[in-house]
Amino acid sequence: MVTKTLYRPVGYKEYKLIAETDFQAFPPRLDWQPIFYPVLNRAYAIEIASKWNTKDTASDFVGIVTAFDVDDAYLSQFEPKTVGNGTHQELWIPAEKLATFNQKIAGAIRIVDVFYGDKYAGEKIETTA
């Protein structure tokens, strides 16, 4: 199987939900979240995690970049979306397809970068890759 590495910047609550699955799956979307959007490059994930999540109360002022490998043939059904400059590329996975998406993850979800905001008061989060 050929895989593609994707990235997802998350806050503390989503990180804990991922950890509860032994880093095997992303949690279901909330009612008001119609899509799951992994990003196509680490630079974009770092930008979100370091500049947005670290200032966001909902993220508990921490930005965590996850990396994970997904079956490339499965991903071919989703057209990349550019949502800013040329590096701001992501896939839009409908919320109802997230369970299937999770099944297509090869191996564990890895923690590759962690950024702490000034107001972060939680535990130290270790990278795993």
Side-chain angles (χ1 to χ4, degrees), residues 36-112:
F36 172 77
Y37 57 94
V39 302
L40 299 182
N41 63 75
R42 190 171 179 175
Y44 180 32
I46 287 171
E47 183 178 344
I48 294 168
S50 65
K51 292 183 179 179
W52 301 349
N53 293 50
T54 58
K55 296 175 176 79
D56 180 34
T57 302
S59 296
D60 289 322
F61 305 105
V62 63
I64 302 158
V65 177
T66 65
F68 51 98
D69 303 316
V70 181
D71 179 358
D72 196 42
Y74 171 76
L75 290 177
S76 68
Q77 69 184 292
F78 303 105
E79 182 180 332
K81 308 287 185 184
T82 301
V83 296
N85 70 37
T87 64
H88 294 170
Q89 292 189 310
E90 53 196 40
L91 298 177
W92 293 357
I93 313 301
E96 62 272 10
K97 292 187 176 190
L98 182 55
T100 302
F101 179 91
N102 280 331
Q103 293 172 353
K104 301 299 182 179
I105 296 174
I109 298 168
R110 304 174 302 280
I111 306 301
V112 294

